[in-house]
């Protein structure tokens, strides 16, 4: 299977390019209730090359929206703050994002109420409005968090690169299924523990170590190409499970930024996890299909077989340095 590394890498790059064609950074609308008739509103829009999409939240005519200070630039985003007021409140009213259909941007809406309850919605260019329910329905939670889970894994290039390296390293359908299952079980455990507050590890070190796990697999690829026995080839499920625990903490960090609706925490957590698994299964299925198609190509030289391993190792090494500096300095 190592002979397939080079063509598969080019397919991977094409897949990544298609993903990045969609704006992977969602806009973010945070609404915090501060009194029965007043809300603090944070509106964060991704920007590129000083260009800011002409999109903005629009609320019911019974509500008044006033800007609080000017816009601020923050790490690739433009941030606006508003005060939303209205005697009837926000529940039961319509929230819409103007001009969203003209973009490729998703919008995550988080609503925090005085009673401690939370509601989350995901708006899209083809579905740019939501009526805020007075009592959040379970089906809304299911749809929102499954989609968030799928989008997170499919846009998480580092997680997918780890999975890709794993399935290339492992030989045999049985071993592949065991390995992917071990990875799934492991990251489900730590995702659940962290999301429920039973485990906490700072995000930046976790992200740096995830990059290190990818670099480890790149080295394993090189050893396998050279005909050496590797830990991953001998016990792939053990490597997948061990690093899966780590990747689960990375998923939990993303989920912490999104937030969980307080009245439906178990359901939202389960649906996010299901979404992650659905995205992962889809990715693995596509990669295995491509491996099957490319299996006839056996004329790759040793140098060409090594090239993808060096590419994966170089990218992951860059991430290790970048992410380590992010919390070390």
């Amino acid at each position: 299977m190592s002979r397939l590394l080079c063509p598969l890498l080019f397919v991977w790059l094409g897949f990544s390019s298609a993903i990045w064609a969609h704006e992977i950074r969602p806009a973010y609308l945070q609404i915090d209730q501060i009194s029965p008739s007043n809300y603090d509103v944070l509106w964060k829009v991704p920007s590129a090359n000083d260009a800011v999409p002409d999109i903005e939240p629009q609320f019911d005519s019974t509500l008044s929206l006033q800007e609080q200070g000017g816009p601020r630039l923050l790490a690739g985003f433009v941030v606006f703050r508003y005060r939303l007021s209205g005697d009837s409140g926000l529940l039961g009213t319509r929230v819409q994002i103007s001009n969203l259909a003209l973009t490729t941007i998703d919008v995550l809406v988080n609503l925090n109420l005085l009673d401690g309850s939370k509601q989350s919605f995901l708006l899209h260019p083809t579905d740019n409005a939501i009526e805020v329910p007075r009592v959040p329905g379970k089906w809304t939670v299911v749809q929102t968090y499954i989609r968030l889970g799928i989008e997170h894994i499919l846009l998480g290039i580092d997680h997918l690169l780890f999975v890709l390296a794993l399935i290339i390293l492992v030989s045999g359908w049985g071993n592949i299924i065991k390995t992917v299952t071990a990875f799934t079980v492991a990251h489900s455990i730590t995702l659940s523990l962290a999301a429920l507050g039973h485990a906490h590890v700072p995000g930046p070190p976790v992200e740096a170590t995830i990059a290190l796990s990818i670099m480890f697999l790149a080295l394993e690829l090189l050893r396998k190409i050279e005909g050496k026995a590797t830990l991953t080839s001998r016990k792939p499920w053990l490597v997948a499970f061990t690093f899966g625990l780590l990747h689960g903490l990375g998923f939990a960090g993303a989920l912490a930024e999104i937030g969980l609706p307080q009245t439906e925490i178990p359901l939202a957590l389960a649906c996010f996890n299901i979404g992650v698994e659905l995205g992962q299964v889809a990715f693995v299925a596509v990669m295995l299909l491509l491996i099957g198609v490319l299996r006839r190509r056996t004329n790759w030289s040793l140098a060409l077989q090594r090239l993808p391993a060096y590419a994966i190792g170089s990218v992951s090494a860059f991430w290790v340095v970048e992410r380590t500096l992010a919390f070390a300095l």
Side-chain angles (χ1 to χ4, degrees):
M1 193 172 290
S2 62
R3 296 172 183 264
L4 304 175
L5 279 172
C6 201
L8 196 56
L9 182 65
F10 289 115
V11 173
W12 162 257
L13 291 174
F15 177 80
S16 300
S17 298
I19 288 177
W20 282 89
H22 178 83
E23 173 58 68
I24 68 170
R25 299 170 301 166
Y28 186 73
L29 180 62
Q30 176 74 40
I31 306 172
D32 297 315
Q33 188 177 27
I34 57 175
S35 74
S37 58
N38 291 287
Y39 303 81
D40 280 339
V41 176
L42 181 145
W43 173 234
K44 189 166 70 170
V45 186
S47 63
N49 300 322
D50 297 325
V52 182
D54 184 22
I55 57 175
E56 60 182 9
Q58 294 180 339
F59 298 91
D60 191 84
S61 59
T62 61
L63 299 166
S64 172
L65 187 66
Q66 294 182 336
E67 188 170 353
Q68 305 288 303
R72 294 189 303 116
L73 294 175
L74 180 64
F77 288 86
V78 179
V79 179
F80 303 85
R81 293 185 180 274
Y82 302 93
R83 176 62 52 83
L84 182 67
S85 305
D87 292 337
S88 59
L90 184 63
L91 299 183
T93 67
R94 183 180 174 87
V95 178
Q96 180 174 329
I97 308 299
S98 66
N99 298 324
L100 192 62
L102 304 177
T103 73
T104 58
I105 300 173
D106 293 334
V107 178
L108 177 62
V109 181
N110 274 348
L111 171 62
N112 297 320
L113 300 176
L114 281 177
D115 62 4
S117 62
K118 296 184 178 182
Q119 298 187 34
S120 297
F121 313 98
L122 196 62
L123 303 180
H124 318 283
T126 56
D127 185 14
N128 69 335
I130 185 73
E131 183 173 316
V132 182
R134 296 186 181 278
V135 178
K138 293 183 183 296
W139 181 237
T140 299
V141 173
V142 169
Q143 289 179 303
T144 298
Y145 280 86
I146 286 181
R147 177 142 188 172
L148 285 169
I150 292 173
E151 289 193 352
H152 177 72
I153 184 65
L154 292 183
L155 300 177
I157 305 300
D158 50 354
H159 298 297
L160 293 184
L161 197 60
F162 179 87
V163 173
L164 177 62
L166 265 182
I167 61 178
I168 292 173
L169 268 165
V170 177
S171 301
W173 286 97
N175 284 332
I176 289 175
I177 292 173
K178 291 177 184 177
T179 301
V180 173
T181 300
F183 183 69
T184 295
V185 171
H187 69 62
S188 298
I189 291 172
T190 46
L191 169 59
S192 300
L193 290 175
L196 295 174
H198 300 304
H200 176 70
V201 179
V206 168
E207 294 299 324
T209 313
I210 286 174
L212 194 62
S213 72
I214 303 170
M215 190 163 65
F216 170 79
L217 288 188
L219 293 173
E220 292 282 273
L221 282 170
L222 285 174
R223 293 191 185 101
K224 182 177 181 179
I225 291 169
E226 294 169 356
K228 299 178 181 178
T230 68
L231 176 61
T232 306
S233 60
R234 292 196 307 270
K235 297 182 178 179
W237 65 269
L238 178 61
V239 173
F241 186 86
T242 302
F243 286 127
L245 295 173
L246 179 67
H247 283 246
L249 295 174
F251 295 144
L255 185 56
E257 293 181 0
I258 296 170
L260 291 168
Q262 296 303 300
T263 57
E264 298 289 355
I265 288 179
L267 178 62
L269 176 58
C271 290
F272 184 82
N273 216 341
I274 289 171
V276 169
E277 302 320 317
L278 289 175
Q280 180 177 288
V281 168
F283 174 76
V284 170
V286 170
M287 291 298 105
L288 290 178
L289 178 62
L290 291 173
I291 287 173
V293 171
L294 296 170
R295 185 166 291 164
R296 301 178 198 174
R297 302 188 64 121
T298 59
N299 59 338
W300 295 96
S301 67
L302 190 61
L304 285 177
Q305 291 178 43
R306 288 174 176 166
L307 181 60
Y310 286 131
I312 293 172
S314 298
V315 171
S316 58
F318 173 78
W319 282 338
V320 169
V321 174
E322 180 186 49
R323 296 175 182 184
T324 300
L325 291 176
F327 69 86
L329 296 180

